[in-house]
Amino acid sequence: QNKRTATTATKTVAFSNNASRAASRSSLSPAKAMALGSAGYMQVPLSLTQLPTMPSGGIAPVGSLLNYNPQSIETQKLAYRNSLADQVRQGEELLKEQQKQQQDYLRQAADAQKQQLIAQVDLIARQQEAALSEKYSQQQLALQQEYINHQLHLEQQARTLSSECLKARELQQQQQ
């Protein structure tokens, strides 16, 4: 019976031709385009798992064929079938674990991108609020200045009118 041993290596998929095409179509750097791939999606690091190799000869007789009987052949066949089934189960478990790891990676990458986008949107909103506040302050200052100018003009008109009224009365009194 073969004991199953798995070795795992991590490899990032790189689409160099697709990345250079994506970079030429957009303002992305070739490195960033390579990370995003041709479809514009982030590529997931793949785990490569090497399953143990199965005996190439199947059921191999040890010694003379005369030493085998149909029952021992059937026993050996069942043992080999069970070994194959175990290897398939272990391979499926490994694939499920890889899928889970890749899904976790995608979720973490998506969450990081969401947080980055949220931070960017918040920054833009704060900048717009600051610009709006500055514009409001300038408009308020202009309105107050206009109010003061109108007050001064009104005072000037009132003084001029009062002065003209006084002169008119004095002139009328002098004529009487």
Side-chain angles (χ1 to χ4, degrees), residues 12-162:
T12 302
V13 177
F15 297 101
S16 59
N17 291 340
N18 293 337
S20 60
R21 278 188 297 224
S24 66
R25 286 191 308 246
S26 68
S27 62
L28 294 177
S29 69
K32 192 166 192 172
M34 185 178 290
L36 291 176
S38 64
Y41 297 104
M42 182 178 297
Q43 296 299 314
V44 178
L46 298 177
S47 282
L48 302 177
T49 304
Q50 298 173 350
L51 296 175
T53 58
M54 298 179 205
S56 60
I59 302 171
V62 177
S64 170
L65 287 176
L66 297 175
N67 293 337
Y68 283 92
N69 60 39
Q71 186 179 11
S72 66
I73 292 173
E74 187 64 28
T75 304
Q76 197 175 20
K77 180 177 91 174
L78 287 174
Y80 183 67
R81 182 180 290 159
N82 289 339
S83 173
L84 288 174
D86 285 345
Q87 289 179 7
V88 167
R89 267 193 306 279
Q90 291 171 351
E92 287 174 347
E93 288 173 11
L94 255 177
L95 288 173
K96 285 179 185 177
E97 182 61 29
Q98 280 181 316
Q99 181 182 18
K100 182 184 178 303
Q101 288 173 354
Q102 289 174 352
Q103 286 173 338
D104 290 345
Y105 175 83
L106 286 173
R107 282 187 199 103
Q108 290 172 354
D111 287 343
Q113 286 178 337
K114 284 180 198 176
Q115 293 304 317
Q116 184 179 14
L117 289 173
I118 288 170
Q120 288 174 348
V121 169
D122 284 345
L123 177 63
I124 290 169
R126 285 193 305 272
Q127 288 172 341
Q128 289 174 339
E129 287 173 359
L132 184 62
S133 181
E134 178 66 25
K135 181 180 176 181
Y136 171 77
S137 294
Q138 289 174 354
Q139 288 175 338
Q140 187 179 23
L141 184 62
L143 185 62
Q144 289 174 350
Q145 187 64 41
E146 189 176 337
Y147 170 75
I148 291 171
N149 289 340
H150 281 291
Q151 286 286 8
L152 291 174
H153 183 69
L154 182 62
E155 287 292 324
Q156 182 64 34
Q157 283 180 335
R159 278 193 298 263
T160 303
L161 189 57
S162 292

